[in-house]
């Protein structure tokens, strides 16, 4: 049996420097929490370009997009969707390593995030955060280094 559902591709960046991670605060329709900077791809947009664009929109920073760390799937039932449609929704999320190469911290205006911040890595477990943050950090810890997996 096959059910109908909507899918949207998205791209996110794991940006870590000096034992801090760059996160954006997501707030939409009564739900909120820290998330990786990134989001849905525009029609026909390459995931690397979309990741770069989303990081800039949500944080004010220009980013260089590195290796793809992995992929994740988010699923929301039709009755839980924010847009009022009743079909299930699936987000196919590509997660990249990224580095800041310019710009300065700024808050998104008119988007789904309210602000961005550098968060000390050791405090992440105490944050109100979406599961994508944990997925991104796990993938970052496990990324290949010179053909070997990084120490976890």
């Amino acid at each position: 049996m096959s059910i109908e559902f909507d899918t949207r591709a998205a791209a996110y960046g794991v940006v870590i420097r000096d034992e801090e991670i760059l996160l954006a605060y997501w707030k939409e329709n009564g739900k909120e929490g820290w998330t990786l900077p990134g989001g849905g791809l525009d029609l026909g947009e390459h995931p690397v370009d979309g990741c770069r664009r989303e990081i800039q929109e949500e944080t004010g920073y220009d980013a260089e997009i590195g290796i793809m760390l992995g992929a994740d799937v988010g699923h929301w039932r039709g009755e839980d969707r924010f847009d009022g449609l009743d079909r299930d929704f699936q987000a196919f999320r590509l997660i990249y390593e990224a580095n800041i190469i310019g710009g300065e911290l700024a808050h998104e205006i008119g988007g789904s995030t309210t602000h961005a911040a550098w968060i000390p890595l050791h405090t992440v477990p105490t944050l109100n955060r979406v599961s994508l943050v944990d997925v991104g950090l796990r993938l970052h810890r496990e990324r290949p280094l010179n053909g070997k997996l990084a120490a976890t």
Side-chain angles (χ1 to χ4, degrees):
M1 178 178 98
S2 178
I3 63 168
E4 289 193 25
F5 59 94
D6 296 323
T7 300
R8 185 169 189 198
Y12 295 85
V14 176
V15 184
I16 296 176
R17 73 175 187 199
D18 300 329
E19 297 302 311
E20 294 182 320
I21 184 168
L22 181 63
L23 296 177
Y25 198 80
W26 169 77
K27 190 172 186 177
E28 195 171 23
N29 296 334
K31 299 191 185 227
E32 60 186 276
W34 290 100
T35 188
L36 297 176
L41 301 177
D42 292 336
L43 183 63
E45 184 176 38
H46 191 280
V48 169
D49 295 333
C51 188
R52 187 180 302 113
R53 175 185 53 77
E54 284 283 346
I55 290 171
Q56 204 288 321
E57 288 175 0
E58 293 182 355
T59 71
Y61 288 118
D62 299 320
E64 174 183 62
I65 308 304
I67 65 168
M68 187 173 73
L69 299 170
D72 183 57
V73 174
H75 170 243
W76 292 267
R77 296 176 312 179
E79 58 267 21
D80 295 331
R81 288 181 68 157
F82 300 134
D83 57 14
L85 298 177
D86 62 359
R87 292 195 315 182
D88 281 17
F89 177 79
Q90 174 177 271
F92 181 67
R93 304 182 290 200
L94 302 174
I95 303 165
Y96 292 90
E97 186 173 67
N99 295 300
I100 300 306
I101 58 171
E104 59 183 61
L105 188 62
H107 306 308
E108 181 175 30
I109 297 172
S112 60
T113 62
T114 60
H115 61 287
W118 289 99
I119 307 292
L121 284 168
H122 72 275
T123 66
V124 170
T126 68
L127 298 176
N128 175 30
R129 64 196 184 281
V130 301
S131 62
L132 184 62
V133 173
D134 296 330
V135 171
L137 283 171
R138 179 182 53 79
L139 290 170
H140 188 268
R141 282 192 308 273
E142 296 172 354
R143 74 189 184 286
L145 297 174
N146 299 324
K148 299 179 183 176
L149 289 180
T152 56

